[in-house]
Amino acid sequence: MTDRAIRNLAHLRRSASTARVLNLLKVANEHGHELEWRTRPIFRTPALNSALIIKHRLRRDELDAFHLRRQVATKVVIPIDADDLKTGGRFVFVDQRSFERMMQEAFGLEAEHADLRTLRLMDALPSLDPFLLREQLRREGIEPAPCYFSISDGDLTRMAQFVEAEIRPLVTLSFGEDVEAVGSTRRLAGKILSNDPGDRMEALRQTLHLKPEEYQEGIFCWKGFLYYKWVLTSLMADVTHVAEAVATVKPLGKVDRSSREYLDRGRQVLRDRIVAVCDDAARTLRIYDDAYAALTQDSRPGAFRDFLLQAPRLFTRLGEQLGAIQHVVSFWRFRFSPGAAPIGVDELIDVFMDFETGLADRNQDLGQRILAA
């Protein structure tokens, strides 16, 4: 690993899990003494259960590591020294070439081992949002201890309230405006947010003429859309704050000419990319909004059926967009919190490069800019 990569890994030790990073080392340090952590681990292999799982946007020289072309990969980092992350770590990408052989050699895991299945379930998600990760694992029968998912009771309540408000038009369409509407809305919201769809959700499947497997996957992605819509609404104030702060943040110490030129260019590029990604995510969400309005306002279930069929592809793109924005906001909040140490020139360049890579358009070449920095 390069010196900059080591410094970034050390920062991850102190930061909490985000949409881009699942910090199992921090979870182990904080909850390793608890019975639930020991009896309900997310991974059975001890080294994996204290690893750093990172959603990593692949650079050009990393694309050939995979059989199929992809933009984002799931990176598993095993620290060399858990007490000193500056020593770096060894890493592997989930399902890179020779992945199973590497996991067998490093950890003795056979191809059918449960930990490989869990890693692939994580890899199938566009981001590592605790809410979606928990639901992804739960629907496959994997229920690790709650300490692995940093979801507060308040967030769960606000999310449930948001879903209730979002699906009220569907309940009204189905049951009419009556005294049972609120109760029906809450029950249907609970079914959407759980893995027990029940009879009423089955009736919706039949109305939409979807196969059970199509419907199950579509409903999970609908849940993801609802979650991301709530996230984007909740994040906008913080996004605006970070975009403004990027323009004014000053590093500690002397800044040479090349560093100043990079930072000056980076400020404008990051502001533009933050706005562009938010706008792109909003456009993706409007595809859902239009389909849902067609179902609930125009009585055209075919439009919503089409949305559910294409939802897995849209969900992946939306998750990558929102995951990048969430990472920028959460890391900025962590690194520039009140009382945090001043940031140096090299570290600020690292932060800008990391953000720029995460926010880059999938067709944009960052190679020259990274080399220039």
Side-chain angles (χ1 to χ4, degrees), residues 241-286:
H241 167 73
V242 171
E244 292 172 350
V246 162
T248 59
V249 63
K250 302 291 184 184
L252 182 70
K254 185 178 179 179
V255 183
D256 61 36
R257 180 178 176 181
S258 62
S259 296
R260 182 178 296 106
E261 289 176 352
Y262 175 80
L263 290 173
D264 288 345
R265 185 206 61 82
R267 294 179 202 280
Q268 188 58 51
V269 170
L270 282 180
R271 283 170 59 88
D272 291 346
R273 287 304 303 156
I274 288 171
V275 172
V277 172
C278 285
D279 288 346
D280 201 11
R283 281 192 294 272
T284 306
L285 283 169
R286 278 198 293 274

Side-chain angles (χ1 to χ4, degrees), residues 159-233:
M159 174 61 182
Q161 292 171 341
F162 178 85
V163 172
E164 285 181 29
E166 187 75 13
I167 67 171
R168 189 164 290 120
L170 179 59
V171 174
T172 301
L173 177 69
S174 302
F175 305 107
E177 294 279 6
D178 57 32
V179 295
E180 294 296 323
V182 173
S184 297
T185 301
R186 187 166 295 123
R187 285 191 292 274
L188 187 55
K191 291 181 183 300
I192 292 173
L193 292 174
S194 72
N195 294 298
D196 180 24
D199 294 339
R200 288 180 177 176
M201 297 301 289
E202 174 62 18
L204 180 60
R205 182 188 73 80
Q206 294 176 358
T207 299
L208 297 174
H209 302 292
L210 289 171
K211 299 176 182 177
E213 61 274 15
E214 293 173 335
Y215 185 68
Q216 182 183 29
E217 187 66 20
I219 289 296
F220 174 75
C221 294
W222 180 20
K223 183 191 305 185
F225 263 74
L226 291 173
Y227 175 75
Y228 283 134
K229 188 173 182 178
W230 174 70
V231 164
L232 186 59
T233 302

Side-chain angles (χ1 to χ4, degrees), residues 62 104 137 152 164 219 249 260 320 353:
E62 296 170 330
Q104 201 283 329
L137 297 179
S152 69
E164 285 181 29
I219 289 296
V249 63
R260 182 178 296 106
E320 292 176 0
M353 288 175 63

